[in-house]
Amino acid sequence: MHPALADSRKPLALGGPITATFFIILFLILGLAIEGRNFWCRQGDLAIWVSAAWNSSHTSQHFLDPYTFTHILHGVALFWITALIFRHSGPKTRFVWAMILEAVWELFENSDFIIERYRANTISLDYFGDSIANSIFDLIACGIGFIIAARLGWLRSIIFFVLLELVLIYFVHDSLVLNIVMLLYPFEIIKNWQMQGA
């Protein structure tokens, strides 16, 4: 057997997923700082949780907001995706890959291109990117979602995903799936419905 395949079920050589996640967070902070993101909300508000999801200069600027739950769903989805792509790797290694992929998405999500897509295609008119603190907690939320999915298994994690999507659609007028749809191919009818809940 090839040595790489023989070691495929072992955690990465960084000392396990916690150590790897620490370095991924450092990489994310550096990348976001290079992109010019603020560490914290420009308004200086020290609140940990912000309930506003739309047209708020505080959304995505504090540790937690309604979109934190979509990042939990990122983790659930990445549990499935990494299980398919890295099928010969153990859950610890797949967890690290999920965190790497989420960190890369956070950097891409905070690029000028994606920020302008959000502003043009959704009603997030005041959105100007995530703060570094918010992105760190989005990454942590993804890790929590991965762990939840790993504990629940495939079937129950699918049920969890659907239920959380429905809760977000009802209370926030947005969700992970709607977010993706509006980013890739926006529908005016969805945008108008979201404006009613803003």
Side-chain angles (χ1 to χ4, degrees), residues 104-117:
V104 170
W105 164 247
E106 281 294 321
L107 292 173
F108 184 56
E109 180 186 33
N110 285 285
S111 66
D112 290 337
F113 171 74
I114 294 296
I115 290 171
E116 288 306 316
R117 290 282 296 180

Side-chain angles (χ1 to χ4, degrees), residues 118-175:
Y118 275 126
R119 290 170 64 89
N121 298 331
T122 72
I123 64 170
S124 300
L125 303 178
D126 290 341
Y127 181 68
F128 47 85
D130 298 355
S131 70
I132 293 174
N134 181 263
S135 287
I136 291 170
F137 270 75
D138 285 348
L139 184 69
I140 292 169
C142 174
I144 291 170
F146 186 99
I147 292 168
I148 289 172
R151 293 288 176 89
L152 293 178
W154 280 84
L155 180 58
R156 287 186 294 176
S157 67
I158 291 171
I159 295 170
F160 172 79
F161 187 98
V162 171
L163 289 176
L164 188 49
E165 276 282 301
L166 293 174
V167 168
L168 288 169
I169 288 169
Y170 182 79
F171 286 106
V172 186
H173 278 221
D174 205 357
S175 71

Side-chain angles (χ1 to χ4, degrees), residues 164-190:
L164 188 49
E165 276 282 301
L166 293 174
V167 168
L168 288 169
I169 288 169
Y170 182 79
F171 286 106
V172 186
H173 278 221
D174 205 357
S175 71
L176 177 58
V177 172
L178 287 180
N179 207 285
I180 294 169
V181 169
M182 294 300 286
L183 191 62
L184 297 178
Y185 194 87
F187 290 91
E188 199 64 28
I189 188 171
I190 295 177

